[in-house]
Amino acid sequence: MSKTIAIVAGAAMVAMVGGTIAAIQWHGGDGPCGVARVDAAIGGPFELVSETGGTVTDADVITEPALIYFGYTFCPDVCPLDLARNAAAVDILAEQGVSVTPVFITIDPARDTVDVVKDYTDSFHPRMIGLTGSSAQVAAAAGAYQAYYERADDDPEYYLMHHSTLTYLVMPQNGVVGIFKRPASADEVAQRTACIVQTS
């Protein structure tokens, strides 16, 4: 399968799967500040490798409110759009005096090495933290957040990944306090994040 065909074929497939998983993980109706209520079982500790090459834990990464997204660098269009939205929301929040860290956790550690992840996250936001690790470390982190992913095909080079497309709002002391689905705009993410941060 060529890279072009893989990208075209995968875009709708990933979006469809992500939307399905997002619906499954959307717990209840709107909660405080218009953010989805979150099952207490979502979130938890993780140990991964940062884009600087060092091993980090959730405590090292989540030192302030964070927007965490699970994806992969070869993602055709879903991940780039979501990460660009999150980066824009972080800038809007900064203008309001609210500091939030954007975080990207790969679900494709075989291809997403430290250097690849660093280049990728730097293209979205200078403060975005990129995380990779061993297959076991990534699986444990994704499992903690109930983030779905699996390899979509057997192409040795241009394979795609099925994955969920949620952004988790995480607070250092409170864990996951909200979930944003793909349709949320940067303004909506910023407004609702600010509301939660300022009322926590």
Side-chain angles (χ1 to χ4, degrees):
M1 179 184 294
S2 71
K3 181 177 181 181
T4 301
I5 294 174
I7 289 174
V8 172
M13 173 179 61
V14 173
M16 178 183 67
V17 172
T20 301
I21 299 302
I24 292 172
Q25 294 186 342
W26 189 265
H27 297 272
D30 283 348
C33 302
V35 178
R37 299 181 187 278
V38 178
D39 189 312
I42 295 180
F46 58 73
E47 181 177 278
L48 293 163
V49 178
S50 79
E51 60 187 37
T52 61
T55 298
V56 295
T57 68
D58 53 295
D60 299 318
V61 175
I62 309 169
T63 59
E64 65 176 5
L67 291 172
I68 296 180
Y69 185 87
F70 289 83
Y72 68 115
T73 64
F74 191 70
C75 188
D77 60 358
V78 175
C79 300
L81 289 174
D82 291 350
L83 291 172
R85 186 272 313 271
N86 290 353
V90 166
D91 285 339
I92 294 170
L93 287 160
E95 293 174 358
Q96 301 172 6
V98 180
S99 183
V100 175
T101 301
V103 180
F104 166 77
I105 300 177
T106 183
I107 46 87
D108 184 20
R111 288 183 296 192
D112 290 345
T113 63
V114 167
D115 290 340
V116 170
V117 167
K118 177 172 174 44
D119 288 344
Y120 189 70
T121 55
D122 286 352
S123 70
F124 289 101
H125 199 282
R127 295 189 60 235
M128 186 173 289
I129 297 175
L131 301 173
T132 184
S134 68
S135 296
Q137 287 175 317
V138 168
Y145 282 80
Q146 298 184 24
Y148 161 83
Y149 69 95
E150 69 174 341
R151 186 163 166 160
D153 58 74
D154 295 326
D155 190 291
E157 186 176 0
Y158 300 125
Y159 62 86
L160 297 170
M161 302 286 289
H162 296 304
H163 67 97
S164 52
T165 58
L166 302 177
T167 292
Y168 304 85
L169 174 57
V170 188
M171 303 279 279
Q173 303 301 323
N174 306 101
V176 179
V177 294
I179 292 175
F180 297 105
K181 296 170 72 175
R182 296 206 67 234
S185 68
D187 285 332
E188 290 170 334
V189 172
Q191 178 184 8
R192 293 172 181 177
T193 295
C195 176
I196 287 184
V197 171
Q198 292 166 353
T199 57
S200 295

